[in-house]
Amino acid sequence: MKKIILSIIIPTYKRTKKLSLIIKVLSHQLPKNINTEIIISDSSDKFFYKNINKYDKKNLSIKYVFNKKNSNAIKRNSAIKKAKGKYLIFIDDDCLPSKHFI
């Protein structure tokens, strides 16, 4: 993958179904010429990690960060440390992005 321009950070806790929908919506909005990563920062559901590869596209990679503490601040900060994008977008796991979010 070429240089990542955009990192989308999603802190989450026990919202596997909602998170799948968020990633699906985001993956359809991404411009084809912008390399993007989605970083899922979780403290509950390691099962989701096994299923995230189905969303990978040519210009999208999905990373998973596990945190022992269930704190959104800790989850965001640990994801920021892993982010490679020039720009960061934060979205919570209970928010479904609108049609033109990105």
Side-chain angles (χ1 to χ4, degrees):
M1 183 183 273
K2 295 180 182 178
K3 186 176 179 181
I4 294 173
I5 303 296
L6 185 62
S7 295
I8 302 170
I9 296 173
I10 309 171
T12 188
Y13 182 76
K14 293 188 178 182
R15 297 234 170 120
T16 303
K17 289 181 183 177
K18 184 88 172 198
L19 191 58
S20 295
L21 182 58
I22 291 169
I23 292 171
K24 182 178 178 181
V25 169
L26 288 173
S27 68
H28 290 297
Q29 292 184 17
L30 295 175
K32 295 188 185 331
N33 60 343
I34 295 179
N35 292 318
T36 305
E37 66 181 356
I38 295 176
I39 303 174
I40 300 162
S41 191
D42 190 10
S43 61
S44 66
D45 195 359
K46 292 183 181 179
F47 172 78
F48 185 77
Y49 177 67
K50 297 174 187 174
N51 297 313
I52 61 176
N53 292 333
K54 68 181 180 180
Y55 299 104
D56 281 345
K57 294 184 174 185
K58 193 172 187 177
N59 66 327
L60 172 66
S61 69
I62 300 178
K63 297 178 182 173
Y64 182 86
V65 178
F66 182 75
N67 296 277
K68 291 182 180 179
K69 290 189 176 184
N70 184 25
S71 162
N72 276 346
I74 291 171
K75 291 178 200 176
R76 285 186 187 106
N77 287 334
S78 64
I80 289 169
K81 289 177 185 176
K82 301 281 184 183
K84 295 183 179 177
K86 182 176 179 181
Y87 302 101
L88 303 177
I89 293 177
F90 298 90
I91 185 168
D92 289 329
D93 64 353
D94 61 348
C95 299
L96 191 59
S98 65
K99 188 176 181 178
H100 301 289
F101 180 73
I102 297 183

